[in-house]
Amino acid sequence: MTSTAIDSGTEFDRQVRNLIERDYPAMAGLTEEQFTAEVAPLRELVTDRHDTYEPDTGRLPFLLVVTRHLVAIEQMMPRTTLAGKTKPGFVDRSFEPGALERFVAIKETELPNQSAYLLFDIERGEEFCGAVPNDAMDTIAARGRTLLTIEEGIAMITHSPEILVKNKCFSLGGSRSGDRRVPAIWISQHAPKLGWCWERNPHTWLGMASAGDRRSSSAGA
């Protein structure tokens, strides 16, 4: 297992630059300066942390998450790639027109901000590969952890594309549409794909992502 100590303030700045390089300000209808000002208050939440990055275990210390209130999911996915690759991610055609808008955060997620916030203590969740998604979600809830939303899953592979690897992909049970579908991100056609699977159908290559908590700055938008 490889564990690397990181400077959390520097990592936050990297994630901001990463989003700017992927045209998030323009997609949000903001200038780079406006976008930076939008997320800058969140930096104070990480500057006193002592974090490590453990890519081999599928764990990340924190992520800067931008929600669909700023940038549409359909715009986010093409800004993702696999590690070291250039082919853009995509939304699977199994989402019928208007379906993505109906996959909203479940009430248990308690999103702290409608535009951008920080997600902490993220796990890719490969221990749940082969488990029934409903059972995995119950186990995560019993641990006091929170399921990831679609936007949070996209943030994972946007900021750390190496987290998405063959046979260690992940479901995103924090976004549901009131039916039996559970969103998930996996590898297809040599690129990240946002699709969905049935809540009672296990897959050996699909786990369940989770996190410790979410926070936003009181000084933020």
Side-chain angles (χ1 to χ4, degrees), residues 161-208:
E162 63 276 12
I163 211 78
L164 185 64
V165 296
K166 184 179 180 180
N167 297 326
K168 293 182 180 180
C169 303
F170 46 86
S171 293
L172 303 166
S175 292
R176 301 299 297 273
S177 65
D179 58 22
R180 295 182 293 114
R181 294 179 291 180
V182 181
I185 292 177
W186 66 88
I187 299 170
S188 178
Q189 303 174 37
H190 308 290
K193 179 173 82 170
L194 173 63
W196 55 265
C197 294
W198 300 114
E199 63 185 11
R200 296 189 181 278
N201 285 9
H203 297 279
T204 58
W205 42 270
L206 200 58
M208 184 70 65

Side-chain angles (χ1 to χ4, degrees), residues 10-218:
T10 300
E11 171 60 14
F12 178 88
D13 296 339
R14 181 193 73 83
Q15 293 188 22
V16 173
R17 290 195 305 273
N18 187 42
L19 295 178
I20 291 173
E21 290 169 0
R22 282 159 178 72
D23 299 323
Y24 271 62
M27 292 190 295
L30 303 172
T31 65
E32 289 186 14
E33 292 75 15
Q34 289 171 328
F35 180 82
T36 301
E38 180 85 17
V39 300
L42 296 169
R43 195 179 193 275
E44 67 186 20
L45 300 178
V46 302
T47 50
D48 292 332
R49 291 171 58 91
H50 300 284
D51 288 315
T52 59
Y53 176 47
E54 302 174 6
D56 296 343
T57 65
R59 292 182 172 89
L60 300 171
F62 68 86
L63 290 168
L64 173 57
V65 180
V66 170
T67 77
R68 67 187 70 184
H69 293 276
L70 273 185
V71 178
I73 292 169
E74 294 90 338
Q75 292 178 297
M76 294 182 191
M77 277 304 296
R79 269 69 181 183
T80 67
T81 64
L82 298 179
K85 307 296 183 181
T86 59
K87 189 172 182 180
F90 62 100
V91 176
D92 189 74
R93 287 180 294 180
S94 61
F95 284 103
E96 70 275 12
L100 275 178
E101 287 75 12
R102 296 194 296 274
F103 278 87
V104 296
I106 60 177
K107 60 186 175 79
E108 292 85 357
T109 59
E110 298 181 357
L111 299 185
N113 190 289
Q114 290 297 301
S115 56
Y117 57 87
L118 290 176
L119 183 71
F120 290 94
D121 185 23
I122 301 98
E123 294 182 359
R124 182 172 54 197
E126 59 262 37
E127 68 173 286
F128 298 109
C129 287
V132 173
N134 268 356
D135 294 342
M137 290 187 281
D138 288 344
T139 299
I140 288 169
R143 293 175 180 173
R145 292 178 60 79
T146 182
L147 299 163
L148 263 61
T149 67
I150 289 176
E151 290 99 313
E152 291 164 354
I154 294 174
M156 283 180 69
I157 61 173
T158 298
H159 295 305
S160 297
E162 63 276 12
I163 211 78
L164 185 64
V165 296
K166 184 179 180 180
N167 297 326
K168 293 182 180 180
C169 303
F170 46 86
S171 293
L172 303 166
S175 292
R176 301 299 297 273
S177 65
D179 58 22
R180 295 182 293 114
R181 294 179 291 180
V182 181
I185 292 177
W186 66 88
I187 299 170
S188 178
Q189 303 174 37
H190 308 290
K193 179 173 82 170
L194 173 63
W196 55 265
C197 294
W198 300 114
E199 63 185 11
R200 296 189 181 278
N201 285 9
H203 297 279
T204 58
W205 42 270
L206 200 58
M208 184 70 65
S210 67
D213 65 344
R214 302 170 178 85
R215 296 179 218 162
S216 64
S217 170
S218 59

